[in-house]
Amino acid sequence: MADAAPAPAATASYDVVVIGGGPGGYNAAIRAGQLGLKVACVEKGQTLGGTCLNVGCMPSKALLHASELFEIANKEFGTLGIDVGTPKVNLPQMMKQKAESVTALTKGIEFLFKKNKADWIKGTGKIVGTGQVEVTAADGTVTVLTAKDIVIATGSEPTPLPGVDFVEGKIIDSTGALSLPAIPKKLIVIGAGVIGLELGSVWRRLGSEVVVVEFLDKVGAGMDAEVATAFQRGLTKQGMTFRMGTKVTSAKAAKDGVVLTIEPAAGGAAETLTADVVLVAIGRRPYTAGLGLESVGIETDKRGFLVNDHLKTGKDGVWVIGDVTHGPMLAHKAEEEAVAVIEFIAGKAGHVDYDLVPSVIYTGPEVAWVGKTEEQLKAAGVEFKKGKFPFTANSRAKINHETEGFVKVLADATTDKVLGVHIFGPSAGELIGEACIAMAFGGSSEDIARTCHAHPTRSEAVKQAAMGVEGWTMQA
């Protein structure tokens, strides 16, 4: 008897199908629903939110917050007149509260989908032709979605390091570093970027000896050089050790840890380092595996990114947003593109100003910046003035015992238009929003300087730095 023919795939029709449920994908789906478009978001994970909510931004911030409070309790409570004994780390509880926070956020997105009539199609999406996305569920069931417009929002994944193979619990990526079962005595972090420095900070605060190995000669790629120098100095003072200008050639897991082989990036003798755990944090790469791009004639560039022209891939009805295309790999950049792409599709005027996408490193103190660095302005031949104000002279920072760092404002020498703002200090990630708004409206340093700021607040440091552009800082 002949085998029965497989059941035909179910089909469903939409105005827009979004592939990927991370910050780019889920915001695109929500915005589409708001604008009355029939929309489906295809996500293979067990929850919505992508890397950011599940194994990235949100859980890392939960651990950064908890570990910072632990360090404050250990080092500052006595000075503040608070006697609570010796705080201890309850790692299982710390991980539990992290997971509970993440679950609440992902459930929140499911609620927003229902509120805005966006469908979550659970499964792995693959483009199989113009206007067609095939979705394979975990049980093998196949559904074909048709739509006039398809938005690719598949995000990114950790970049592996040649010669270094991941070994669970020993040689790990950022996901593994968020769920270690015990505090390593020694942690080596490969990469002095955002992820490496944030997660390195978490485990240092909890008791690990942390060594950071970086190929480049400064931390925080893309950061203003003056800020980067102060930032590294601050992290070193906290207890991190840095091996800059150093290349990792191999990492081998052993019974009692990991043996790392390194050598100078410029060439020289090799040496070995040992650690309980090695975190590989050299960046992320676009995720396009099994996406079926060839079915509609889409190719990636040499680095694996999908090229776009105003978020269009060049193929009718196929759009791309977020980490899988060019620009900073940041959740808020993906969110802005999500809104823009749906507004393009709906016939509206979408827009993203890539010069005003802020960057933040959520260490303690934080680092945040937007616009041009001094080095970029000099390289472009742009004449500028600089105002700088230290948090040691900010009354709120002083009262709170958080005086490390400064604010720097760069403005055009002729027009006074703000060209860049760089902050190393307390609440930098919150303060940078003021700079983004001022720059979005083409504001000048004088506009910031003559705007009344509440006293006492950390935001006064931004005002004072803006005053410094024309040399009339009053509090330092």
Side-chain angles (χ1 to χ4, degrees):
M1 183 176 179
D3 292 336
T11 60
S13 179
Y14 290 90
D15 296 318
V16 182
V17 171
V18 182
I19 306 176
Y26 76 71
N27 277 288
I30 290 169
R31 185 64 180 135
Q34 288 179 337
L35 294 178
L37 299 172
K38 186 179 180 184
V39 60
C41 181
V42 180
E43 171 54 51
K44 66 181 180 180
Q46 296 300 307
T47 56
L48 292 164
T51 293
C52 181
L53 263 69
N54 291 282
V55 290
C57 319
M58 297 301 107
S60 66
K61 303 310 166 284
L63 292 183
L64 280 160
H65 176 63
S67 63
E68 184 172 16
L69 291 180
F70 173 69
E71 187 165 65
I72 289 171
N74 265 306
K75 295 184 177 181
E76 296 185 30
F77 272 15
T79 301
L80 297 173
I82 304 172
D83 295 325
V84 293
T86 303
K88 297 180 180 178
V89 176
N90 181 340
L91 193 58
Q93 174 59 28
M94 192 176 289
M95 293 298 178
K96 180 174 180 287
Q97 62 84 30
K98 175 201 71 175
E100 289 171 347
S101 297
V102 169
T103 297
L105 289 169
T106 57
K107 291 295 183 185
I109 298 172
E110 290 186 44
F111 166 76
L112 291 172
F113 268 39
K114 292 174 182 177
K115 177 183 177 182
N116 292 285
K117 297 182 173 59
D119 292 340
W120 173 16
I121 309 299
K122 300 179 182 181
T124 301
K126 178 180 180 180
I127 300 172
V128 292
T130 302
Q132 293 186 310
V133 176
E134 182 183 89
V135 183
T136 304
D139 63 2
T141 304
V142 176
T143 304
V144 176
L145 311 179
T146 61
K148 178 176 178 292
D149 292 284
I150 297 170
V151 178
I152 299 172
T154 47
S156 60
E157 61 182 351
T159 301
L161 181 63
V164 177
D165 296 324
F166 292 115
V167 178
E168 186 174 355
K170 291 189 176 182
I171 305 174
I172 59 175
D173 60 12
S174 56
T175 301
L178 290 168
S179 55
L180 287 173
I183 301 169
K185 290 182 180 179
K186 184 174 181 180
L187 171 69
I188 293 178
V189 179
I190 305 175
V194 176
I195 296 171
L197 296 179
E198 287 187 354
L199 293 177
S201 291
V202 166
W203 294 107
R204 183 204 59 76
R205 292 169 184 164
L206 298 180
S208 297
E209 175 191 350
V210 176
V211 177
V212 180
V213 180
E214 169 59 46
F215 184 82
L216 301 176
D217 59 2
K218 73 172 187 174
V219 302
M223 189 184 295
D224 181 272
E226 184 180 17
V227 175
T229 298
F231 182 35
Q232 184 180 339
R233 186 186 304 122
L235 293 174
T236 300
K237 188 167 60 177
Q238 292 173 13
M240 280 193 187
T241 299
F242 288 88
R243 300 293 300 268
M244 307 302 290
T246 301
K247 177 170 62 175
V248 174
T249 56
S250 72
K252 303 296 181 185
K255 184 177 180 180
D256 57 350
V258 182
V259 178
L260 200 69
T261 304
I262 63 173
E263 61 184 50
E271 62 177 296
T272 58
L273 301 176
T274 59
D276 301 284
V277 176
V278 169
L279 165 60
V280 180
I282 61 170
R284 298 182 65 84
R285 64 183 182 183
Y287 183 78
T288 58
L291 191 52
L293 299 175
E294 67 283 352
S295 70
V296 286
I298 295 175
E299 297 180 351
T300 63
D301 66 13
K302 292 180 180 179
R303 296 176 60 202
F305 289 98
L306 293 176
V307 179
N308 80 83
D309 178 14
H310 291 82
L311 309 180
K312 297 179 180 179
T313 63
K315 301 299 176 181
D316 288 344
V318 182
W319 308 74
V320 59
I321 62 174
D323 285 5
V324 78
T325 190
H326 291 285
M329 286 183 159
L330 298 169
H332 43 279
K333 173 260 196 182
E335 292 178 0
E336 294 302 309
E337 290 182 330
V339 172
V341 76
I342 295 301
E343 293 180 348
F344 282 137
I345 289 170
K348 296 179 176 292
H351 174 71
V352 180
D353 188 340
Y354 292 97
D355 290 332
L356 296 183
V357 176
S359 295
V360 185
I361 302 181
Y362 295 91
T363 47
E366 295 179 348
V367 183
W369 67 95
V370 66
K372 302 300 184 182
T373 66
E374 284 198 55
E375 294 71 40
Q376 289 171 331
L377 293 175
K378 290 174 183 175
V382 176
E383 295 293 327
F384 65 93
K385 292 183 178 181
K386 175 172 70 172
K388 185 178 171 184
F389 187 81
F391 279 100
T392 52
N394 175 263
S395 55
R396 183 64 186 274
K398 188 170 291 186
I399 290 296
N400 286 14
H401 303 280
E402 49 184 25
T403 56
E404 185 174 17
F406 56 87
V407 179
K408 179 163 68 173
V409 175
L410 306 175
D412 187 279
T414 302
T415 66
D416 194 35
K417 180 179 179 181
V418 177
L419 303 176
V421 176
H422 306 269
I423 307 173
F424 169 45
S427 302
E430 304 292 341
L431 298 177
I432 202 65
E434 172 180 357
C436 294
I437 293 173
M439 293 170 69
F441 283 89
S444 66
S445 72
E446 186 178 7
D447 289 326
I448 298 174
R450 294 190 181 276
T451 298
C452 186
H453 288 60
H455 176 76
T457 62
R458 303 171 188 87
S459 69
E460 290 176 285
V462 180
K463 173 185 172 77
Q464 292 287 327
M467 292 163 67
V469 171
E470 292 298 334
W472 61 292
T473 296
M474 297 174 63
Q475 295 177 4

